Amino acid sequence: MIENTLRRQFASDNYSGICPEAWQAMNEANRGHALPYGEDEYTQKACDMLRDLFETDCDVYFSFNGTAANSLALASLCRSYHSIIGHTSAHVETDECGAPEFFSGGTKILLAGGKDGKIDIDEVERVAGKRTDIHYPKPRVITITQATEFGTVYSVDEIQSIGETARRLGLKVHMDGARFANAAAALNVPPKEMTWKAGVDVLCFGGVKNGSAVGEAIIFFSRDLSFEFDYRCKQAGQLSSKMRFLSAPWIGMLAGDAWLKHARYANGCAKKLEERLRKIEGICVLFPCQANSVFVDMPLEMSSSLREKGWHFYTFIGDKGVRFMCSWDTADEDIDALVKDIEELKA
Ligand SMILES: *Cc1c(COP(=O)(O)O)cnc(C)c1O
């Protein structure tokens, strides 16, 4: 028996395990045999529940992880000579090892800036209009991340304005929703309002960071864009022969809105943590805390001592930026322990 000696951490929401609802749904899917490759009843039901959730007849697929979901979705929107306009800090640009470019056969990602991790619409226009000649890759998609890599959330109005700009420029809209649940919990609007009704063509809806083990949903609201997507998934090694274990957790998560409950809870933990950190001298909160993460600047000695105390966290924001992230199983005592350790370092 392996003893797990790692305490609950704030490094990422993927440090957490599987939430009870997803675990139970997997357990139920494990009773006996089922058809392989997504032909099973669990997958059918999960797709139907997602269609109900979004109140539209969308096409739904499942992949093992988010990199595959984003890359394959983008590849199906683009030809090799196209380009994708995304934020400088977008996961597809910084954390997917070139997978979107690889799976699309060469589509280039063009970067646009924007405050608090949100793409600036004027920048998008500038990038899209920069060149129209044959020598430059043709813009085809705007990609946005909801919630963003900096824990902020696009409002419905902001998404609508991106959607309108995209339509005017003849572009499609892809949403990286690795933390879509946290954004939905924060905005508290029906999911359709922040997706297809606002102009989103395809959403990669994250399950893993919300509480499942594996399985992201790729949702095409514009169904013509999913042409032969099943072949794309298969070729990329994303067609699970025991698909029910990727899809069944969605049944557990969607039933009774467990997905929202967990996201709301994680967001609430981040808010609590943020309020406590704000009070500590020498610490400065970097972005509005709108989802399940808190980004702070802290002196370098403080962050390295905090690591020595056994805490894990990412520091990819500038020199002194530290990210703390909450998940469905963050406990008040974890927040207390982290804050106490930081306060002690300050003293
Ligand atoms: C975690 C994450 C993903 C998916 O990452 P995988 O490790 O490939 O599952 C995608 N986008 C964002 C913004 C993420 O944070």
Side-chain angles (χ1 to χ4, degrees), residues 111-127:
L111 300 177
K115 198 167 164 283
D116 296 339
K118 296 186 196 176
I119 205 161
D120 181 280
I121 203 68
D122 295 331
E123 277 260 318
V124 170
E125 292 230 24
R126 189 185 59 75
V127 171

Side-chain angles (χ1 to χ4, degrees), residues 65-67 70 91 96 145 149 176 178-179 209:
N65 68 16
T67 298
N70 283 334
H91 196 272
E96 300 192 353
T145 309
E149 285 77 4
D176 173 351
R179 298 191 181 89
K209 286 168 180 160

Side-chain angles (χ1 to χ4, degrees), residues 12-14 63-70 89-92 95-96 145-150 176-179 204 206 208-209 216 323 325:
S12 180
D13 31 10
N14 61 17
S63 67
F64 289 102
N65 68 16
T67 298
N70 283 334
S89 61
H91 196 272
V92 292
D95 286 288
E96 300 192 353
T145 309
Q146 176 78 321
T148 71
E149 285 77 4
F150 295 157
D176 173 351
R179 298 191 181 89
C204 296
V208 175
K209 286 168 180 160
E216 312 281 277
R323 182 185 81 172
M325 190 149 252

Side-chain angles (χ1 to χ4, degrees), residues 155-214:
S155 67
V156 171
D157 281 353
E158 286 170 330
I159 303 167
Q160 275 170 355
S161 125
I162 290 165
E164 277 159 23
T165 304
R167 268 192 299 283
R168 183 158 42 76
L169 300 173
L171 305 173
K172 304 294 177 198
V173 179
H174 162 261
M175 181 179 274
D176 173 351
R179 298 191 181 89
F180 183 80
N182 303 93
L187 292 179
N188 200 23
V189 296
K192 66 179 174 189
E193 301 294 338
M194 49 192 286
T195 54
W196 60 272
K197 281 191 86 178
V200 174
D201 294 291
V202 55
L203 165 70
C204 296
F205 188 170
V208 175
K209 286 168 180 160
N210 189 216
S212 66
V214 66

